[in-house]
Amino acid sequence: MSPTDCEHVLKQIELYLDGELVASMRVEIEQHLGGCDPCSGHAAFQRRLKEVLRSKCGCDQVPP
């Protein structure tokens, strides 16, 4: 993957992890993550961080 591809993916990773991307963009990100260890590692770290924050937050949901 080119650095531009990685840069694009990392800019979208939060939206991807939160399930806020349209299907075509989600597929593009998933394909990239399947072949790029650095981006995949970053996504895994962000996913774990979100899980820890969610478990420690103490709130039910964030208001819209």
Side-chain angles (χ1 to χ4, degrees), residues 11-34:
K11 285 181 180 179
Q12 301 295 319
I13 201 70
E14 294 298 324
L15 295 173
Y16 169 75
L17 293 173
D18 292 339
E20 297 179 3
L21 291 177
V22 296
S24 61
M25 181 62 76
R26 187 179 68 245
V27 168
E28 182 182 325
I29 299 291
E30 288 170 350
Q31 289 174 344
H32 180 88
L33 293 176

Side-chain angles (χ1 to χ4, degrees), residues 1 4 8 13 16 25 30 36-38 43-44 50-51 53-54 56-60 64:
M1 297 293 149
T4 302
H8 173 73
I13 201 70
Y16 169 75
M25 181 62 76
E30 288 170 350
C36 182
D37 289 338
K50 286 178 177 287
E51 289 169 2
L53 291 173
R54 196 175 303 119
K56 303 294 181 185
C57 178
C59 56
D60 293 327

